[in-house]
Short mmCIF file of all heavy atoms in Angstrom, two decimals:
data_model
loop_
_atom_site.label_atom_id
_atom_site.label_comp_id
_atom_site.label_asym_id
_atom_site.label_seq_id
_atom_site.Cartn_x
_atom_site.Cartn_y
_atom_site.Cartn_z
N GLU A 424 -63.14 98.01 54.65
CA GLU A 424 -64.16 97.56 53.70
C GLU A 424 -63.89 96.12 53.25
O GLU A 424 -64.81 95.31 53.14
CB GLU A 424 -64.21 98.50 52.50
CG GLU A 424 -65.43 98.31 51.61
CD GLU A 424 -66.74 98.69 52.28
OE1 GLU A 424 -66.71 99.35 53.34
OE2 GLU A 424 -67.80 98.30 51.75
N LYS A 427 -64.73 93.80 56.07
CA LYS A 427 -66.19 93.65 56.17
C LYS A 427 -66.69 92.55 55.26
O LYS A 427 -67.45 91.66 55.68
CB LYS A 427 -66.86 94.98 55.83
CG LYS A 427 -68.38 94.89 55.71
CD LYS A 427 -68.95 96.20 55.19
CE LYS A 427 -70.43 96.06 54.91
NZ LYS A 427 -71.01 97.31 54.36
N HIS A 428 -66.28 92.57 53.99
CA HIS A 428 -66.79 91.58 53.04
C HIS A 428 -66.25 90.19 53.33
O HIS A 428 -66.97 89.20 53.15
CB HIS A 428 -66.43 92.01 51.62
CG HIS A 428 -67.12 93.28 51.18
ND1 HIS A 428 -68.48 93.47 51.34
CD2 HIS A 428 -66.65 94.41 50.60
CE1 HIS A 428 -68.81 94.65 50.88
NE2 HIS A 428 -67.72 95.24 50.42
N GLU A 431 -68.33 88.88 56.10
CA GLU A 431 -69.64 88.47 55.59
C GLU A 431 -69.54 87.09 54.95
O GLU A 431 -70.40 86.21 55.20
CB GLU A 431 -70.14 89.50 54.57
CG GLU A 431 -70.60 90.80 55.19
CD GLU A 431 -70.91 91.88 54.17
OE1 GLU A 431 -70.35 91.82 53.05
OE2 GLU A 431 -71.69 92.79 54.49
N ALA A 458 -79.24 88.21 54.10
CA ALA A 458 -78.20 88.49 53.10
C ALA A 458 -78.76 89.39 52.00
O ALA A 458 -78.10 90.36 51.59
CB ALA A 458 -77.69 87.18 52.50
N SER A 459 -79.95 89.12 51.54
CA SER A 459 -80.56 89.93 50.48
C SER A 459 -80.72 91.38 50.94
O SER A 459 -80.45 92.31 50.17
CB SER A 459 -81.92 89.34 50.09
OG SER A 459 -82.56 90.14 49.13
N GLY A 460 -81.14 91.57 52.17
CA GLY A 460 -81.30 92.91 52.70
C GLY A 460 -80.00 93.67 52.80
O GLY A 460 -79.99 94.90 52.80
N LEU A 461 -78.89 92.94 52.88
CA LEU A 461 -77.57 93.56 52.96
C LEU A 461 -76.90 93.70 51.60
O LEU A 461 -75.74 94.07 51.51
CB LEU A 461 -76.67 92.72 53.88
CG LEU A 461 -77.11 92.66 55.36
CD1 LEU A 461 -76.28 91.63 56.11
CD2 LEU A 461 -77.00 94.03 56.01
N GLY A 462 -77.65 93.37 50.54
CA GLY A 462 -77.08 93.49 49.20
C GLY A 462 -76.20 92.32 48.82
O GLY A 462 -75.35 92.45 47.93
N ILE A 463 -76.40 91.18 49.47
CA ILE A 463 -75.62 89.98 49.18
C ILE A 463 -76.53 88.97 48.48
O ILE A 463 -77.60 88.63 48.99
CB ILE A 463 -75.06 89.35 50.47
CG1 ILE A 463 -74.14 90.33 51.19
CG2 ILE A 463 -74.32 88.05 50.16
CD1 ILE A 463 -73.74 89.88 52.58
N GLN A 464 -76.12 88.51 47.34
CA GLN A 464 -76.90 87.54 46.58
C GLN A 464 -76.29 86.15 46.72
O GLN A 464 -75.09 85.96 46.52
CB GLN A 464 -76.93 87.92 45.10
CG GLN A 464 -77.69 86.93 44.23
CD GLN A 464 -77.62 87.26 42.75
OE1 GLN A 464 -77.28 88.39 42.39
NE2 GLN A 464 -77.93 86.29 41.91
N LEU A 465 -77.14 85.18 47.08
CA LEU A 465 -76.75 83.78 47.16
C LEU A 465 -77.57 83.01 46.14
O LEU A 465 -78.80 83.03 46.21
CB LEU A 465 -76.98 83.23 48.57
CG LEU A 465 -76.18 83.92 49.68
CD1 LEU A 465 -76.69 83.50 51.05
CD2 LEU A 465 -74.70 83.58 49.55
N MET A 479 -71.86 83.44 45.74
CA MET A 479 -72.09 84.65 46.54
C MET A 479 -71.61 85.87 45.77
O MET A 479 -70.50 85.89 45.24
CB MET A 479 -71.32 84.51 47.87
CG MET A 479 -71.57 85.61 48.87
SD MET A 479 -70.86 85.14 50.49
CE MET A 479 -71.29 86.58 51.47
N LYS A 480 -72.49 86.87 45.68
CA LYS A 480 -72.15 88.11 44.99
C LYS A 480 -72.67 89.30 45.80
O LYS A 480 -73.61 89.16 46.58
CB LYS A 480 -72.76 88.13 43.59
CG LYS A 480 -72.27 87.03 42.66
CD LYS A 480 -72.96 87.11 41.30
CE LYS A 480 -72.50 85.98 40.39
NZ LYS A 480 -73.19 86.03 39.06
N TRP A 481 -72.05 90.45 45.59
CA TRP A 481 -72.48 91.68 46.24
C TRP A 481 -73.10 92.61 45.19
O TRP A 481 -72.61 92.68 44.05
CB TRP A 481 -71.32 92.38 46.92
CG TRP A 481 -70.94 91.79 48.24
CD1 TRP A 481 -71.30 92.25 49.48
CD2 TRP A 481 -70.12 90.64 48.47
NE1 TRP A 481 -70.77 91.45 50.46
CE2 TRP A 481 -70.04 90.45 49.87
CE3 TRP A 481 -69.45 89.74 47.64
CZ2 TRP A 481 -69.32 89.43 50.45
CZ3 TRP A 481 -68.74 88.70 48.20
CH2 TRP A 481 -68.67 88.55 49.60
N ALA A 482 -74.14 93.32 45.59
CA ALA A 482 -74.82 94.23 44.68
C ALA A 482 -73.90 95.39 44.29
O ALA A 482 -73.08 95.85 45.09
CB ALA A 482 -76.09 94.77 45.33
N ASN A 483 -74.05 95.84 43.07
CA ASN A 483 -73.35 97.03 42.57
C ASN A 483 -71.82 96.91 42.65
O ASN A 483 -71.12 97.91 42.84
CB ASN A 483 -73.80 98.28 43.35
CG ASN A 483 -75.30 98.49 43.25
OD1 ASN A 483 -75.88 98.30 42.18
ND2 ASN A 483 -75.91 98.87 44.36
N GLY A 484 -71.32 95.68 42.55
CA GLY A 484 -69.87 95.49 42.57
C GLY A 484 -69.21 95.95 43.85
O GLY A 484 -68.06 96.40 43.84
N ALA A 485 -69.94 95.85 44.97
CA ALA A 485 -69.44 96.39 46.24
C ALA A 485 -68.15 95.71 46.71
O ALA A 485 -67.40 96.30 47.48
CB ALA A 485 -70.51 96.25 47.31
N ALA A 486 -67.90 94.48 46.27
CA ALA A 486 -66.74 93.74 46.76
C ALA A 486 -65.72 93.49 45.65
O ALA A 486 -65.14 92.42 45.55
CB ALA A 486 -67.19 92.41 47.37
N GLN A 487 -65.47 94.49 44.86
CA GLN A 487 -64.59 94.31 43.71
C GLN A 487 -63.16 93.95 44.10
O GLN A 487 -62.46 93.30 43.34
CB GLN A 487 -64.59 95.59 42.87
CG GLN A 487 -65.90 95.82 42.13
CD GLN A 487 -65.86 97.08 41.28
OE1 GLN A 487 -65.01 97.94 41.47
NE2 GLN A 487 -66.79 97.18 40.34
N TYR A 499 -67.05 82.70 45.88
CA TYR A 499 -67.13 84.05 45.32
C TYR A 499 -66.26 84.08 44.08
O TYR A 499 -65.09 83.72 44.12
CB TYR A 499 -66.65 85.09 46.33
CG TYR A 499 -66.46 86.46 45.70
CD1 TYR A 499 -67.57 87.22 45.34
CD2 TYR A 499 -65.19 86.95 45.45
CE1 TYR A 499 -67.40 88.46 44.73
CE2 TYR A 499 -65.02 88.19 44.84
CZ TYR A 499 -66.13 88.95 44.49
OH TYR A 499 -65.97 90.16 43.90
#
Side-chain angles (χ1 to χ4, degrees):
E424 193 66 15
K427 172 187 173 182
H428 294 311
E431 287 172 335
S459 177
L461 295 171
I463 300 170
Q464 178 185 343
L465 299 168
M479 186 169 180
K480 298 179 182 179
W481 281 261
N483 302 320
Q487 289 181 343
Y499 168 73

